[in-house]
Amino acid sequence: NAGVIQTPRHKVTGKGQEATLWCEPISGHSAVFWYRQTIVQGLEFLTYFRNQAPIDDSGMPKERFSAQMPNQSHSTLKIQSTQPQDSAVYLCASSSRTSSAETLYFGSGTRLTVL
Amino acid sequence: GDSVTQTEGLVTVTEGLPVKLNCTYQTTYLTIAFFWYVQYLNEAPQVLLRSSTDNKRTEHQGFHATLHKSSSSFHLQKSSAQLSDSALYYCALASAGNKLTFGIGTRVLVRP
């Protein structure tokens, strides 16, 4: 079991550029979550999928952030027109069930730096 | 919505002494469970403790926490801190759908 895999580990973009972050959940897990980690805000929920369907995107900044899960083996988080305030560590997590508070397993994250 | 409050940003403790991290919460929805996650330097957050039973002590790796719904608290404690306990600790609650709401985190620094 390789755990949750996130790529790239580090990404540097210029202001206004697009950034796409990738996540491969643990095989067999049905739920995928995206969080943003900063020193000031801690771990902020962005969005999650259950069986590839989007369930809750209440944490997503609407204008420039989008997430997809085209198949059960990967999810992407796309940020258009990146801004310096988007700089953070973006964490993906997966869990095997969605209705009984199962443990979330996190990837190591993608550190996004917007210059 | 749900919220989790961790009042200490940094806790510094001497090795061998007790450590306590505070966690209180507010929830307007059905909350299923409470967690403590730990994140070591350059690693992913990982679960340390989980509880869904009121007034029941939960223990793991020398740490313990008791959920007290009467005071909306789930404090984390350890009787003897070790150097290897230096890390970032997050308190979290899980609502329906398994969405976790995290606190801001408490960094623990254990000094020799």
Side-chain angles (χ1 to χ4, degrees), chain A residues 17-66:
Chain A
Q17 292 183 329
E18 181 178 290
T20 300
L21 314 180
W22 296 75
C23 171
E24 180 180 331
I26 293 172
S27 178
H29 280 192
S30 59
V32 171
F33 299 79
W34 284 96
Y35 284 83
R36 176 168 62 184
Q37 183 179 33
T38 62
I39 294 175
V40 175
Q41 298 292 334
L43 280 168
E44 296 177 276
F45 169 81
L46 294 176
T47 186
Y48 87 95
F49 297 83
R50 179 197 306 157
N51 295 322
Q52 299 173 232
I55 301 300
D56 183 345
D57 67 353
S58 59
M60 294 275 275
K62 297 303 182 196
E63 292 83 19
R64 299 181 294 105
F65 284 59
S66 63

mmCIF file of all heavy atoms in Angstrom, chain A residues 17-66:
data_model
loop_
_atom_site.group_PDB
_atom_site.id
_atom_site.type_symbol
_atom_site.label_atom_id
_atom_site.label_comp_id
_atom_site.label_asym_id
_atom_site.label_seq_id
_atom_site.Cartn_x
_atom_site.Cartn_y
_atom_site.Cartn_z
ATOM 1 N N GLN A 17 -0.543 32.574 -13.515
ATOM 2 C CA GLN A 17 -0.430 31.297 -14.206
ATOM 3 C C GLN A 17 -1.369 30.263 -13.595
ATOM 4 O O GLN A 17 -1.932 30.455 -12.534
ATOM 5 C CB GLN A 17 1.019 30.801 -14.149
ATOM 6 C CG GLN A 17 1.983 31.648 -14.947
ATOM 7 C CD GLN A 17 3.390 31.091 -14.924
ATOM 8 O OE1 GLN A 17 3.818 30.467 -13.950
ATOM 9 N NE2 GLN A 17 4.126 31.295 -16.008
ATOM 10 N N GLU A 18 -1.503 29.147 -14.288
ATOM 11 C CA GLU A 18 -2.379 28.070 -13.832
ATOM 12 C C GLU A 18 -1.551 26.995 -13.127
ATOM 13 O O GLU A 18 -0.405 26.749 -13.496
ATOM 14 C CB GLU A 18 -3.103 27.471 -15.029
ATOM 15 C CG GLU A 18 -4.068 26.344 -14.697
ATOM 16 C CD GLU A 18 -4.795 25.840 -15.926
ATOM 17 O OE1 GLU A 18 -5.638 26.562 -16.468
ATOM 18 O OE2 GLU A 18 -4.502 24.692 -16.351
ATOM 19 N N ALA A 19 -2.144 26.376 -12.130
ATOM 20 C CA ALA A 19 -1.482 25.274 -11.423
ATOM 21 C C ALA A 19 -2.439 24.101 -11.321
ATOM 22 O O ALA A 19 -3.617 24.280 -10.974
ATOM 23 C CB ALA A 19 -1.046 25.711 -10.033
ATOM 24 N N THR A 20 -1.957 22.923 -11.658
ATOM 25 C CA THR A 20 -2.757 21.701 -11.532
ATOM 26 C C THR A 20 -2.051 20.743 -10.597
ATOM 27 O O THR A 20 -0.883 20.413 -10.799
ATOM 28 C CB THR A 20 -2.981 21.031 -12.896
ATOM 29 O OG1 THR A 20 -3.675 21.937 -13.754
ATOM 30 C CG2 THR A 20 -3.816 19.772 -12.735
ATOM 31 N N LEU A 21 -2.770 20.323 -9.582
ATOM 32 C CA LEU A 21 -2.230 19.427 -8.574
ATOM 33 C C LEU A 21 -2.926 18.078 -8.699
ATOM 34 O O LEU A 21 -4.142 18.019 -8.916
ATOM 35 C CB LEU A 21 -2.451 20.004 -7.174
ATOM 36 C CG LEU A 21 -2.100 21.490 -6.989
ATOM 37 C CD1 LEU A 21 -2.369 21.929 -5.559
ATOM 38 C CD2 LEU A 21 -0.677 21.774 -7.388
ATOM 39 N N TRP A 22 -2.139 17.002 -8.505
ATOM 40 C CA TRP A 22 -2.647 15.658 -8.739
ATOM 41 C C TRP A 22 -2.655 14.842 -7.451
ATOM 42 O O TRP A 22 -1.785 14.979 -6.607
ATOM 43 C CB TRP A 22 -1.767 14.944 -9.773
ATOM 44 C CG TRP A 22 -1.798 15.581 -11.114
ATOM 45 C CD1 TRP A 22 -1.191 16.746 -11.504
ATOM 46 C CD2 TRP A 22 -2.490 15.098 -12.265
ATOM 47 N NE1 TRP A 22 -1.454 17.017 -12.821
ATOM 48 C CE2 TRP A 22 -2.243 16.025 -13.316
ATOM 49 C CE3 TRP A 22 -3.282 13.974 -12.514
ATOM 50 C CZ2 TRP A 22 -2.775 15.851 -14.593
ATOM 51 C CZ3 TRP A 22 -3.792 13.806 -13.784
ATOM 52 C CH2 TRP A 22 -3.546 14.737 -14.805
ATOM 53 N N CYS A 23 -3.656 13.978 -7.371
ATOM 54 C CA CYS A 23 -3.769 13.127 -6.201
ATOM 55 C C CYS A 23 -4.207 11.730 -6.625
ATOM 56 O O CYS A 23 -5.168 11.577 -7.389
ATOM 57 C CB CYS A 23 -4.787 13.700 -5.217
ATOM 58 S SG CYS A 23 -5.210 12.586 -3.842
ATOM 59 N N GLU A 24 -3.495 10.739 -6.126
ATOM 60 C CA GLU A 24 -3.889 9.339 -6.333
ATOM 61 C C GLU A 24 -4.267 8.762 -4.975
ATOM 62 O O GLU A 24 -3.411 8.585 -4.107
ATOM 63 C CB GLU A 24 -2.741 8.545 -6.942
ATOM 64 C CG GLU A 24 -3.066 7.084 -7.192
ATOM 65 C CD GLU A 24 -1.888 6.327 -7.800
ATOM 66 O OE1 GLU A 24 -1.086 6.947 -8.505
ATOM 67 O OE2 GLU A 24 -1.770 5.121 -7.528
ATOM 68 N N PRO A 25 -5.555 8.475 -4.751
ATOM 69 C CA PRO A 25 -5.954 7.957 -3.427
ATOM 70 C C PRO A 25 -5.518 6.518 -3.238
ATOM 71 O O PRO A 25 -5.081 5.852 -4.181
ATOM 72 C CB PRO A 25 -7.476 8.065 -3.482
ATOM 73 C CG PRO A 25 -7.818 7.956 -4.934
ATOM 74 C CD PRO A 25 -6.682 8.602 -5.661
ATOM 75 N N ILE A 26 -5.652 6.066 -2.034
ATOM 76 C CA ILE A 26 -5.369 4.670 -1.732
ATOM 77 C C ILE A 26 -6.364 3.793 -2.489
ATOM 78 O O ILE A 26 -7.572 4.082 -2.503
ATOM 79 C CB ILE A 26 -5.455 4.412 -0.221
ATOM 80 C CG1 ILE A 26 -4.315 5.170 0.493
ATOM 81 C CG2 ILE A 26 -5.385 2.927 0.099
ATOM 82 C CD1 ILE A 26 -4.403 5.141 2.006
ATOM 83 N N SER A 27 -5.856 2.760 -3.107
ATOM 84 C CA SER A 27 -6.708 1.873 -3.895
ATOM 85 C C SER A 27 -7.837 1.304 -3.041
ATOM 86 O O SER A 27 -7.616 0.806 -1.932
ATOM 87 C CB SER A 27 -5.863 0.726 -4.456
ATOM 88 O OG SER A 27 -6.670 -0.171 -5.184
ATOM 89 N N GLY A 28 -9.052 1.423 -3.581
ATOM 90 C CA GLY A 28 -10.210 0.901 -2.862
ATOM 91 C C GLY A 28 -10.918 1.919 -1.997
ATOM 92 O O GLY A 28 -12.028 1.671 -1.528
ATOM 93 N N HIS A 29 -10.285 3.048 -1.760
ATOM 94 C CA HIS A 29 -10.945 4.099 -0.981
ATOM 95 C C HIS A 29 -11.964 4.817 -1.850
ATOM 96 O O HIS A 29 -11.705 5.135 -3.005
ATOM 97 C CB HIS A 29 -9.920 5.086 -0.440
ATOM 98 C CG HIS A 29 -9.214 4.610 0.772
ATOM 99 N ND1 HIS A 29 -8.436 5.430 1.566
ATOM 100 C CD2 HIS A 29 -9.185 3.396 1.373
ATOM 101 C CE1 HIS A 29 -7.960 4.738 2.585
ATOM 102 N NE2 HIS A 29 -8.394 3.493 2.484
ATOM 103 N N SER A 30 -13.110 5.110 -1.240
ATOM 104 C CA SER A 30 -14.210 5.663 -2.019
ATOM 105 C C SER A 30 -14.360 7.171 -1.881
ATOM 106 O O SER A 30 -15.126 7.780 -2.619
ATOM 107 C CB SER A 30 -15.523 4.999 -1.610
ATOM 108 O OG SER A 30 -15.762 5.205 -0.235
ATOM 109 N N ALA A 31 -13.666 7.768 -0.930
ATOM 110 C CA ALA A 31 -13.810 9.207 -0.710
ATOM 111 C C ALA A 31 -12.449 9.895 -0.816
ATOM 112 O O ALA A 31 -11.447 9.375 -0.328
ATOM 113 C CB ALA A 31 -14.416 9.491 0.658
ATOM 114 N N VAL A 32 -12.458 11.042 -1.459
ATOM 115 C CA VAL A 32 -11.238 11.846 -1.623
ATOM 116 C C VAL A 32 -11.526 13.265 -1.174
ATOM 117 O O VAL A 32 -12.548 13.849 -1.556
ATOM 118 C CB VAL A 32 -10.768 11.836 -3.093
ATOM 119 C CG1 VAL A 32 -9.643 12.855 -3.298
ATOM 120 C CG2 VAL A 32 -10.285 10.447 -3.484
ATOM 121 N N PHE A 33 -10.604 13.787 -0.362
ATOM 122 C CA PHE A 33 -10.763 15.117 0.215
ATOM 123 C C PHE A 33 -9.564 15.983 -0.177
ATOM 124 O O PHE A 33 -8.439 15.499 -0.268
ATOM 125 C CB PHE A 33 -10.812 15.040 1.748
ATOM 126 C CG PHE A 33 -11.954 14.225 2.287
ATOM 127 C CD1 PHE A 33 -11.899 12.846 2.296
ATOM 128 C CD2 PHE A 33 -13.072 14.851 2.795
ATOM 129 C CE1 PHE A 33 -12.950 12.085 2.799
ATOM 130 C CE2 PHE A 33 -14.131 14.101 3.302
ATOM 131 C CZ PHE A 33 -14.071 12.727 3.303
ATOM 132 N N TRP A 34 -9.809 17.267 -0.344
ATOM 133 C CA TRP A 34 -8.740 18.241 -0.548
ATOM 134 C C TRP A 34 -8.773 19.262 0.580
ATOM 135 O O TRP A 34 -9.846 19.788 0.922
ATOM 136 C CB TRP A 34 -8.910 18.965 -1.884
ATOM 137 C CG TRP A 34 -8.526 18.160 -3.087
ATOM 138 C CD1 TRP A 34 -9.356 17.429 -3.887
ATOM 139 C CD2 TRP A 34 -7.223 18.028 -3.640
ATOM 140 N NE1 TRP A 34 -8.644 16.842 -4.910
ATOM 141 C CE2 TRP A 34 -7.324 17.196 -4.785
ATOM 142 C CE3 TRP A 34 -5.958 18.529 -3.311
ATOM 143 C CZ2 TRP A 34 -6.233 16.853 -5.576
ATOM 144 C CZ3 TRP A 34 -4.872 18.192 -4.093
ATOM 145 C CH2 TRP A 34 -5.013 17.368 -5.215
ATOM 146 N N TYR A 35 -7.590 19.531 1.125
ATOM 147 C CA TYR A 35 -7.422 20.532 2.164
ATOM 148 C C TYR A 35 -6.273 21.456 1.786
ATOM 149 O O TYR A 35 -5.357 21.082 1.059
ATOM 150 C CB TYR A 35 -7.100 19.876 3.517
ATOM 151 C CG TYR A 35 -8.275 19.248 4.208
ATOM 152 C CD1 TYR A 35 -8.691 17.954 3.879
ATOM 153 C CD2 TYR A 35 -8.982 19.940 5.184
ATOM 154 C CE1 TYR A 35 -9.787 17.385 4.507
ATOM 155 C CE2 TYR A 35 -10.074 19.364 5.824
ATOM 156 C CZ TYR A 35 -10.465 18.089 5.477
ATOM 157 O OH TYR A 35 -11.547 17.522 6.101
ATOM 158 N N ARG A 36 -6.321 22.658 2.331
ATOM 159 C CA ARG A 36 -5.230 23.618 2.157
ATOM 160 C C ARG A 36 -4.644 23.897 3.542
ATOM 161 O O ARG A 36 -5.393 24.145 4.494
ATOM 162 C CB ARG A 36 -5.747 24.904 1.520
ATOM 163 C CG ARG A 36 -4.712 25.996 1.390
ATOM 164 C CD ARG A 36 -5.203 27.116 0.485
ATOM 165 N NE ARG A 36 -6.391 27.771 0.987
ATOM 166 C CZ ARG A 36 -7.036 28.735 0.309
ATOM 167 N NH1 ARG A 36 -6.593 29.124 -0.879
ATOM 168 N NH2 ARG A 36 -8.102 29.296 0.846
ATOM 169 N N GLN A 37 -3.328 23.866 3.625
ATOM 170 C CA GLN A 37 -2.660 24.050 4.905
ATOM 171 C C GLN A 37 -1.804 25.302 4.883
ATOM 172 O O GLN A 37 -0.913 25.455 4.037
ATOM 173 C CB GLN A 37 -1.788 22.838 5.237
ATOM 174 C CG GLN A 37 -1.115 22.912 6.592
ATOM 175 C CD GLN A 37 -0.289 21.685 6.905
ATOM 176 O OE1 GLN A 37 0.299 21.058 6.020
ATOM 177 N NE2 GLN A 37 -0.247 21.310 8.173
ATOM 178 N N THR A 38 -2.074 26.203 5.823
ATOM 179 C CA THR A 38 -1.247 27.385 6.017
ATOM 180 C C THR A 38 -1.002 27.569 7.508
ATOM 181 O O THR A 38 -1.730 27.015 8.343
ATOM 182 C CB THR A 38 -1.914 28.656 5.463
ATOM 183 O OG1 THR A 38 -3.146 28.873 6.177
ATOM 184 C CG2 THR A 38 -2.199 28.559 3.985
ATOM 185 N N ILE A 39 0.016 28.338 7.831
ATOM 186 C CA ILE A 39 0.310 28.587 9.238
ATOM 187 C C ILE A 39 -0.818 29.368 9.886
ATOM 188 O O ILE A 39 -1.200 29.105 11.032
ATOM 189 C CB ILE A 39 1.647 29.331 9.377
ATOM 190 C CG1 ILE A 39 2.793 28.421 8.911
ATOM 191 C CG2 ILE A 39 1.865 29.786 10.818
ATOM 192 C CD1 ILE A 39 4.130 29.092 8.887
ATOM 193 N N VAL A 40 -1.375 30.306 9.137
ATOM 194 C CA VAL A 40 -2.385 31.196 9.702
ATOM 195 C C VAL A 40 -3.732 30.496 9.875
ATOM 196 O O VAL A 40 -4.407 30.659 10.885
ATOM 197 C CB VAL A 40 -2.555 32.449 8.823
ATOM 198 C CG1 VAL A 40 -3.690 33.314 9.343
ATOM 199 C CG2 VAL A 40 -1.255 33.238 8.785
ATOM 200 N N GLN A 41 -4.125 29.690 8.908
ATOM 201 C CA GLN A 41 -5.464 29.089 8.924
ATOM 202 C C GLN A 41 -5.480 27.622 9.328
ATOM 203 O O GLN A 41 -6.552 27.045 9.534
ATOM 204 C CB GLN A 41 -6.114 29.222 7.544
ATOM 205 C CG GLN A 41 -6.322 30.659 7.082
ATOM 206 C CD GLN A 41 -7.354 31.378 7.916
ATOM 207 O OE1 GLN A 41 -8.243 30.767 8.509
ATOM 208 N NE2 GLN A 41 -7.241 32.688 7.981
ATOM 209 N N GLY A 42 -4.309 27.011 9.403
ATOM 210 C CA GLY A 42 -4.289 25.589 9.715
ATOM 211 C C GLY A 42 -4.745 24.779 8.513
ATOM 212 O O GLY A 42 -4.412 25.097 7.378
ATOM 213 N N LEU A 43 -5.528 23.742 8.751
ATOM 214 C CA LEU A 43 -6.030 22.873 7.682
ATOM 215 C C LEU A 43 -7.443 23.308 7.314
ATOM 216 O O LEU A 43 -8.377 23.131 8.087
ATOM 217 C CB LEU A 43 -6.031 21.415 8.140
ATOM 218 C CG LEU A 43 -4.692 20.672 8.086
ATOM 219 C CD1 LEU A 43 -4.777 19.357 8.833
ATOM 220 C CD2 LEU A 43 -4.297 20.429 6.649
ATOM 221 N N GLU A 44 -7.584 23.838 6.121
ATOM 222 C CA GLU A 44 -8.884 24.306 5.656
ATOM 223 C C GLU A 44 -9.462 23.318 4.642
ATOM 224 O O GLU A 44 -8.797 22.960 3.670
ATOM 225 C CB GLU A 44 -8.755 25.646 4.932
ATOM 226 C CG GLU A 44 -8.286 26.802 5.744
ATOM 227 C CD GLU A 44 -8.149 28.030 4.846
ATOM 228 O OE1 GLU A 44 -7.094 28.161 4.198
ATOM 229 O OE2 GLU A 44 -9.106 28.821 4.780
ATOM 230 N N PHE A 45 -10.692 22.937 4.866
ATOM 231 C CA PHE A 45 -11.387 22.052 3.936
ATOM 232 C C PHE A 45 -11.673 22.798 2.635
ATOM 233 O O PHE A 45 -12.103 23.958 2.640
ATOM 234 C CB PHE A 45 -12.692 21.576 4.562
ATOM 235 C CG PHE A 45 -13.610 20.888 3.611
ATOM 236 C CD1 PHE A 45 -13.411 19.561 3.280
ATOM 237 C CD2 PHE A 45 -14.684 21.565 3.045
ATOM 238 C CE1 PHE A 45 -14.269 18.914 2.402
ATOM 239 C CE2 PHE A 45 -15.552 20.934 2.172
ATOM 240 C CZ PHE A 45 -15.344 19.607 1.847
ATOM 241 N N LEU A 46 -11.454 22.123 1.518
ATOM 242 C CA LEU A 46 -11.776 22.699 0.224
ATOM 243 C C LEU A 46 -12.962 21.985 -0.415
ATOM 244 O O LEU A 46 -13.996 22.583 -0.684
ATOM 245 C CB LEU A 46 -10.565 22.629 -0.713
ATOM 246 C CG LEU A 46 -9.355 23.477 -0.319
ATOM 247 C CD1 LEU A 46 -8.197 23.230 -1.275
ATOM 248 C CD2 LEU A 46 -9.720 24.957 -0.279
ATOM 249 N N THR A 47 -12.811 20.666 -0.649
ATOM 250 C CA THR A 47 -13.842 19.933 -1.362
ATOM 251 C C THR A 47 -13.662 18.438 -1.138
ATOM 252 O O THR A 47 -12.600 17.993 -0.699
ATOM 253 C CB THR A 47 -13.794 20.250 -2.868
ATOM 254 O OG1 THR A 47 -14.890 19.633 -3.534
ATOM 255 C CG2 THR A 47 -12.499 19.756 -3.495
ATOM 256 N N TYR A 48 -14.732 17.657 -1.420
ATOM 257 C CA TYR A 48 -14.540 16.226 -1.392
ATOM 258 C C TYR A 48 -15.449 15.491 -2.347
ATOM 259 O O TYR A 48 -16.495 16.007 -2.763
ATOM 260 C CB TYR A 48 -14.625 15.654 0.029
ATOM 261 C CG TYR A 48 -15.982 15.272 0.567
ATOM 262 C CD1 TYR A 48 -16.448 13.958 0.478
ATOM 263 C CD2 TYR A 48 -16.754 16.204 1.245
ATOM 264 C CE1 TYR A 48 -17.659 13.598 1.037
ATOM 265 C CE2 TYR A 48 -17.959 15.833 1.805
ATOM 266 C CZ TYR A 48 -18.411 14.543 1.703
ATOM 267 O OH TYR A 48 -19.607 14.176 2.260
ATOM 268 N N PHE A 49 -15.041 14.302 -2.706
ATOM 269 C CA PHE A 49 -15.736 13.430 -3.643
ATOM 270 C C PHE A 49 -16.049 12.114 -2.944
ATOM 271 O O PHE A 49 -15.275 11.624 -2.133
ATOM 272 C CB PHE A 49 -14.855 13.128 -4.866
ATOM 273 C CG PHE A 49 -14.499 14.330 -5.679
ATOM 274 C CD1 PHE A 49 -13.422 15.136 -5.312
ATOM 275 C CD2 PHE A 49 -15.224 14.667 -6.803
ATOM 276 C CE1 PHE A 49 -13.088 16.253 -6.060
ATOM 277 C CE2 PHE A 49 -14.887 15.778 -7.562
ATOM 278 C CZ PHE A 49 -13.816 16.573 -7.190
ATOM 279 N N ARG A 50 -17.170 11.560 -3.315
ATOM 280 C CA ARG A 50 -17.519 10.220 -2.859
ATOM 281 C C ARG A 50 -17.873 9.403 -4.085
ATOM 282 O O ARG A 50 -18.745 9.810 -4.869
ATOM 283 C CB ARG A 50 -18.708 10.264 -1.911
ATOM 284 C CG ARG A 50 -19.163 8.899 -1.398
ATOM 285 C CD ARG A 50 -20.560 8.978 -0.815
ATOM 286 N NE ARG A 50 -20.648 10.002 0.207
ATOM 287 C CZ ARG A 50 -21.802 10.582 0.562
ATOM 288 N NH1 ARG A 50 -22.915 10.256 -0.046
ATOM 289 N NH2 ARG A 50 -21.824 11.502 1.509
ATOM 290 N N ASN A 51 -17.188 8.287 -4.253
ATOM 291 C CA ASN A 51 -17.393 7.456 -5.450
ATOM 292 C C ASN A 51 -17.326 8.305 -6.720
ATOM 293 O O ASN A 51 -18.153 8.167 -7.628
ATOM 294 C CB ASN A 51 -18.734 6.719 -5.368
ATOM 295 C CG ASN A 51 -18.777 5.726 -4.232
ATOM 296 O OD1 ASN A 51 -17.784 5.057 -3.942
ATOM 297 N ND2 ASN A 51 -19.917 5.630 -3.567
ATOM 298 N N GLN A 52 -16.363 9.196 -6.744
ATOM 299 C CA GLN A 52 -16.045 10.096 -7.860
ATOM 300 C C GLN A 52 -17.020 11.260 -8.018
ATOM 301 O O GLN A 52 -16.736 12.172 -8.818
ATOM 302 C CB GLN A 52 -15.975 9.321 -9.193
ATOM 303 C CG GLN A 52 -14.909 8.234 -9.212
ATOM 304 C CD GLN A 52 -15.002 7.409 -10.477
ATOM 305 O OE1 GLN A 52 -15.070 6.198 -10.448
ATOM 306 N NE2 GLN A 52 -15.011 8.088 -11.626
ATOM 307 N N ALA A 53 -18.125 11.265 -7.304
ATOM 308 C CA ALA A 53 -19.093 12.351 -7.442
ATOM 309 C C ALA A 53 -18.752 13.479 -6.470
ATOM 310 O O ALA A 53 -18.449 13.220 -5.300
ATOM 311 C CB ALA A 53 -20.501 11.842 -7.171
ATOM 312 N N PRO A 54 -18.808 14.739 -6.923
ATOM 313 C CA PRO A 54 -18.577 15.863 -6.008
ATOM 314 C C PRO A 54 -19.710 15.967 -5.001
ATOM 315 O O PRO A 54 -20.880 15.953 -5.370
ATOM 316 C CB PRO A 54 -18.527 17.067 -6.959
ATOM 317 C CG PRO A 54 -19.321 16.648 -8.147
ATOM 318 C CD PRO A 54 -19.131 15.184 -8.290
ATOM 319 N N ILE A 55 -19.337 16.065 -3.722
ATOM 320 C CA ILE A 55 -20.337 16.078 -2.666
ATOM 321 C C ILE A 55 -20.435 17.439 -1.994
ATOM 322 O O ILE A 55 -21.525 17.938 -1.714
ATOM 323 C CB ILE A 55 -20.032 15.006 -1.603
ATOM 324 C CG1 ILE A 55 -19.994 13.616 -2.240
ATOM 325 C CG2 ILE A 55 -21.065 15.062 -0.468
ATOM 326 C CD1 ILE A 55 -21.285 13.195 -2.913
ATOM 327 N N ASP A 56 -19.303 18.018 -1.709
ATOM 328 C CA ASP A 56 -19.285 19.264 -0.942
ATOM 329 C C ASP A 56 -18.085 20.078 -1.389
ATOM 330 O O ASP A 56 -16.957 19.635 -1.224
ATOM 331 C CB ASP A 56 -19.201 18.934 0.548
ATOM 332 C CG ASP A 56 -19.237 20.175 1.445
ATOM 333 O OD1 ASP A 56 -19.040 21.311 0.952
ATOM 334 O OD2 ASP A 56 -19.437 19.998 2.664
ATOM 335 N N ASP A 57 -18.326 21.221 -1.981
ATOM 336 C CA ASP A 57 -17.219 22.100 -2.376
ATOM 337 C C ASP A 57 -17.317 23.443 -1.671
ATOM 338 O O ASP A 57 -16.890 24.466 -2.201
ATOM 339 C CB ASP A 57 -17.173 22.272 -3.897
ATOM 340 C CG ASP A 57 -18.378 23.041 -4.427
ATOM 341 O OD1 ASP A 57 -19.308 23.320 -3.641
ATOM 342 O OD2 ASP A 57 -18.385 23.367 -5.631
ATOM 343 N N SER A 58 -17.874 23.421 -0.484
ATOM 344 C CA SER A 58 -18.144 24.666 0.232
ATOM 345 C C SER A 58 -16.891 25.446 0.607
ATOM 346 O O SER A 58 -16.960 26.633 0.879
ATOM 347 C CB SER A 58 -18.962 24.374 1.500
ATOM 348 O OG SER A 58 -18.260 23.477 2.340
ATOM 349 N N GLY A 59 -15.749 24.796 0.612
ATOM 350 C CA GLY A 59 -14.519 25.478 0.970
ATOM 351 C C GLY A 59 -13.744 26.022 -0.205
ATOM 352 O O GLY A 59 -12.714 26.683 -0.027
ATOM 353 N N MET A 60 -14.243 25.797 -1.379
ATOM 354 C CA MET A 60 -13.508 26.206 -2.585
ATOM 355 C C MET A 60 -13.761 27.669 -2.925
ATOM 356 O O MET A 60 -14.919 28.081 -3.045
ATOM 357 C CB MET A 60 -13.948 25.337 -3.771
ATOM 358 C CG MET A 60 -13.574 23.880 -3.636
ATOM 359 S SD MET A 60 -11.914 23.571 -4.202
ATOM 360 C CE MET A 60 -12.242 23.370 -5.956
ATOM 361 N N PRO A 61 -12.705 28.439 -3.112
ATOM 362 C CA PRO A 61 -12.896 29.773 -3.697
ATOM 363 C C PRO A 61 -13.487 29.593 -5.092
ATOM 364 O O PRO A 61 -12.921 28.893 -5.925
ATOM 365 C CB PRO A 61 -11.463 30.326 -3.752
ATOM 366 C CG PRO A 61 -10.699 29.536 -2.737
ATOM 367 C CD PRO A 61 -11.313 28.169 -2.764
ATOM 368 N N LYS A 62 -14.632 30.184 -5.331
ATOM 369 C CA LYS A 62 -15.429 29.823 -6.494
ATOM 370 C C LYS A 62 -14.822 30.247 -7.820
ATOM 371 O O LYS A 62 -14.954 29.560 -8.834
ATOM 372 C CB LYS A 62 -16.839 30.419 -6.365
ATOM 373 C CG LYS A 62 -17.630 29.878 -5.185
ATOM 374 C CD LYS A 62 -17.775 28.378 -5.225
ATOM 375 C CE LYS A 62 -18.617 27.881 -4.058
ATOM 376 N NZ LYS A 62 -18.481 26.435 -3.847
ATOM 377 N N GLU A 63 -14.178 31.385 -7.826
ATOM 378 C CA GLU A 63 -13.805 31.951 -9.119
ATOM 379 C C GLU A 63 -12.664 31.219 -9.798
ATOM 380 O O GLU A 63 -12.684 31.048 -11.014
ATOM 381 C CB GLU A 63 -13.406 33.427 -8.958
ATOM 382 C CG GLU A 63 -14.539 34.356 -8.577
ATOM 383 C CD GLU A 63 -14.795 34.348 -7.092
ATOM 384 O OE1 GLU A 63 -13.896 33.920 -6.322
ATOM 385 O OE2 GLU A 63 -15.883 34.765 -6.679
ATOM 386 N N ARG A 64 -11.681 30.772 -9.044
ATOM 387 C CA ARG A 64 -10.472 30.293 -9.693
ATOM 388 C C ARG A 64 -10.124 28.843 -9.381
ATOM 389 O O ARG A 64 -9.249 28.274 -10.017
ATOM 390 C CB ARG A 64 -9.292 31.192 -9.274
ATOM 391 C CG ARG A 64 -9.469 32.650 -9.683
ATOM 392 C CD ARG A 64 -8.273 33.497 -9.277
ATOM 393 N NE ARG A 64 -8.128 33.605 -7.827
ATOM 394 C CZ ARG A 64 -7.232 32.966 -7.110
ATOM 395 N NH1 ARG A 64 -6.360 32.166 -7.707
ATOM 396 N NH2 ARG A 64 -7.170 33.126 -5.800
ATOM 397 N N PHE A 65 -10.802 28.251 -8.428
ATOM 398 C CA PHE A 65 -10.485 26.882 -8.017
ATOM 399 C C PHE A 65 -11.508 25.908 -8.591
ATOM 400 O O PHE A 65 -12.709 26.180 -8.584
ATOM 401 C CB PHE A 65 -10.498 26.761 -6.489
ATOM 402 C CG PHE A 65 -9.297 27.343 -5.800
ATOM 403 C CD1 PHE A 65 -8.961 28.685 -5.949
ATOM 404 C CD2 PHE A 65 -8.513 26.547 -4.984
ATOM 405 C CE1 PHE A 65 -7.862 29.220 -5.305
ATOM 406 C CE2 PHE A 65 -7.405 27.082 -4.321
ATOM 407 C CZ PHE A 65 -7.088 28.413 -4.486
ATOM 408 N N SER A 66 -11.012 24.774 -9.033
ATOM 409 C CA SER A 66 -11.908 23.711 -9.470
ATOM 410 C C SER A 66 -11.247 22.371 -9.174
ATOM 411 O O SER A 66 -10.026 22.266 -9.129
ATOM 412 C CB SER A 66 -12.235 23.832 -10.959
ATOM 413 O OG SER A 66 -11.057 23.691 -11.744
#
